[in-house]
Amino acid sequence: MNTLQALIFDVDGTLAETERDGHRIAFNQAFADAGQDWHWDMPTYGRLLAITGGKERLLAYWKEVDPQAARGPDAAALIAELHRRKTAHYVRLVADGGIALRPGVRRLLLEARDAGLRLAIATTTTPDNVEALLRATLGANGMAMFACIGAGDAVPRKKPDPGIYTWVLERLRLDPQQCLAFEDSANGLRAALGAGLPTVITTGSYTAGEAFPGALALLDGLGEPQAPASGHVGRLAWTGCVDLATLQDWIGAV
Ligand code: XBP
Ligand code: MG
């Protein structure tokens, strides 16, 4: 039986509903600042989430609406400027308390930390965004709860490439079988599975309709004692509150 040594969390959609409540809003604020007549409504943003990474998403959208300009000599600089503005808006929104952790996240983080497991982050989002969210939701010591934070451009290719998970595993000096990944999206699942990690999916507002082949568990959240999560573990229906004993049971059964 494998003994769990570490939990590795995606950020956007997994720790919090940051895409719906933060990133999309910040992108639109950046467009307005720059006098760019783009606006990403919820369905448009949902479609664009297939492209991970904010800079990559901006470029893909620009190529849709104005392919010639998007391939012009100034394109990279404009993308960088829009993204810099977007990050500033996002960080401010989060620091002002605009985004809460999803139910059960804080409970599981604290239980794992108190049990001596290591915690890590593997995300495509910009490091400043991670820091803002951890500080705003977990306090001044929020960052220090994590043994390793893999974020943004730390690796050359973003999810679904497994690179960010491999990067984190190397720094934790652990094998994937000693860890569990937590993700909310099909792209994230592909990245985690590509690094060999058993993966728990907690679907969110943008990802509930995606397919998750190979997930260890497919749930609608981590649950709290008063509001249990539900979903499937393998083919079996499951309802409950995800805690360390549950996770150990699931990976012991792999
Ligand atoms: C999240 C992302 C991120 C954010 C934006 O994917 O794709 O790019 O949308 O962050 P995942 P930046 O949850 O799979 O990590 O603008 O800072 O890139
Ligand atoms: Mg995600």
Side-chain angles (χ1 to χ4, degrees):
M1 173 155 154
N2 294 323
T3 302
L4 257 185
Q5 303 283 333
L7 305 183
I8 309 175
F9 290 85
D10 169 49
V11 174
D12 296 309
T14 301
L15 293 186
E17 283 280 10
T18 50
E19 299 290 10
R20 186 191 62 191
D21 300 337
H23 290 297
R24 186 183 72 86
I25 292 159
F27 277 116
N28 285 330
Q29 287 172 331
F31 300 153
D33 282 354
Q36 188 80 33
D37 66 346
W38 298 347
H39 180 84
W40 290 350
D41 60 17
M42 292 263 295
T44 302
Y45 193 64
R47 179 173 63 75
L48 293 171
L49 281 175
I51 301 125
T52 56
K55 295 189 288 287
E56 293 81 354
R57 190 170 300 137
L58 284 165
L59 182 60
Y61 180 75
W62 200 3
K63 283 180 178 167
E64 275 180 23
V65 296
D66 190 349
Q68 207 177 343
R71 290 180 173 84
D74 300 334
L78 181 62
I79 295 284
E81 175 59 11
L82 282 173
H83 194 254
R84 190 191 60 72
R85 289 174 187 265
K86 176 260 170 177
T87 299
H89 281 297
Y90 179 87
V91 165
R92 196 170 319 116
L93 184 154
V94 169
D96 287 348
I99 299 190
L101 296 177
R102 290 185 66 185
V105 168
R106 181 188 179 84
R107 171 186 57 70
L108 183 60
L109 289 173
L110 295 180
E111 186 192 3
R113 181 198 63 182
D114 293 347
L117 270 73
R118 283 190 285 163
L119 300 171
I121 295 282
T123 177
T124 67
T125 205
T126 300
D128 286 356
N129 299 347
V130 182
E131 180 167 354
L133 183 71
L134 297 182
R135 278 185 194 283
T137 57
L138 295 167
N141 295 327
M143 290 282 282
M145 285 176 66
F146 293 84
C148 175
I149 295 183
D153 298 322
V155 289
R157 283 180 297 280
K158 294 190 171 152
K159 299 174 188 176
D161 190 278
I164 195 67
Y165 278 105
T166 306
W167 189 96
V168 167
L169 285 169
E170 282 169 5
R171 276 149 190 84
L172 292 176
R173 295 177 186 272
L174 291 173
D175 293 328
Q177 297 78 16
Q178 298 172 291
C179 309
L180 267 177
F182 292 81
E183 277 284 354
D184 70 305
S185 70
N187 274 330
L189 176 64
R190 283 173 60 197
L193 291 180
L197 285 154
T199 306
V200 174
I201 297 292
T202 52
T203 55
S205 58
Y206 275 117
T207 60
E210 295 186 335
F212 296 98
L216 178 68
L218 175 52
L219 308 172
D220 60 4
L222 294 174
E224 292 284 24
Q226 310 305 324
S230 61
H232 286 82
V233 181
R235 290 181 170 200
L236 297 177
W238 188 88
T239 302
C241 187
V242 178
D243 59 13
L244 276 189
T246 315
L247 296 173
Q248 186 63 64
D249 187 37
W250 290 346
I251 65 160
V254 169

